Amino acid sequence: MDSFSSYTRLSRLSVKVILTQTDTTVGFLSQDDKKLQEVKSRKPSKAFIKVYKNFKTLLASGHRIPDKYKNSVRRSKKTTFIVKNKAFRVADTSLDSQILRDKLWHYSTSANESGKNFDRDFCIEKADIIVENKDGLNENSSSSLYILNHTKRKKIR
């Protein structure tokens, strides 16, 4: 892990894996899904959730949401949706971090080894950047998960 007193020095890290408290639980964030697969020792066939900064960014990225669910997706909190085999969530960062505010989206996954519980030592070893506030990192419940299509909404978790 690299420690910096200034955000401008982060440019030397080519692929950043960020460990932070997300809107739901402790998570790894990155714009490189292959780096996250490597960190978590996860099968390449299992996709990651893409977390968008706001609803406008989600729509601009090309996601097509069925009209009857647009309002519920826009107003959702701590909820992940799957549309046409693409998982996404809209979540504004609760931390006052320039690193997280600068990006419009990140791939997101829980901060643990695949199939295991949160282990702070493992996470600190694997993360390039740690964003933490005074409350620390807390493992909470994961987001609700829904599959949407034009006719129905099905709750997965």
Side-chain angles (χ1 to χ4, degrees), residues 3 5 18 22 46 54 62 66 77 84 115 124-125 142-143 154:
S3 297
S5 60
I18 302 168
T22 65
K46 192 171 182 185
N54 54 41
K77 302 286 185 220
K84 295 187 178 183
I124 289 172
E125 177 187 323
S142 57
S143 61
K154 182 179 178 183

Side-chain angles (χ1 to χ4, degrees), residues 39-86:
V39 165
K40 288 196 48 120
S41 303
R42 189 171 177 174
K43 297 178 186 174
S45 61
K46 192 171 182 185
F48 291 99
I49 296 169
K50 206 168 186 181
V51 180
Y52 291 92
K53 187 175 188 172
N54 54 41
F55 188 71
K56 185 177 180 180
T57 305
L58 169 71
L59 293 179
S61 71
H63 278 283
R64 296 190 48 109
I65 302 165
D67 288 337
K68 70 191 255 182
Y69 299 116
K70 280 186 181 178
N71 205 22
S72 62
V73 169
R74 182 183 305 113
R75 296 172 190 242
S76 68
K77 302 286 185 220
K78 299 181 181 183
T79 306
T80 299
F81 299 96
I82 301 172
V83 176
K84 295 187 178 183
N85 295 324
K86 292 184 181 180

Side-chain angles (χ1 to χ4, degrees), residues 6-64:
S6 170
Y7 176 67
T8 56
R9 293 183 184 165
L10 292 175
S11 61
R12 73 182 173 100
L13 291 173
S14 59
V15 177
K16 301 169 190 77
V17 174
I18 302 168
L19 174 67
T20 188
Q21 184 73 39
T22 65
D23 61 330
T24 54
T25 190
V26 181
F28 286 125
L29 304 176
S30 181
Q31 291 206 309
D32 185 355
D33 58 341
K34 292 183 183 19
K35 181 72 174 174
L36 286 178
Q37 285 173 351
E38 178 185 314
V39 165
K40 288 196 48 120
S41 303
R42 189 171 177 174
K43 297 178 186 174
S45 61
K46 192 171 182 185
F48 291 99
I49 296 169
K50 206 168 186 181
V51 180
Y52 291 92
K53 187 175 188 172
N54 54 41
F55 188 71
K56 185 177 180 180
T57 305
L58 169 71
L59 293 179
S61 71
H63 278 283
R64 296 190 48 109

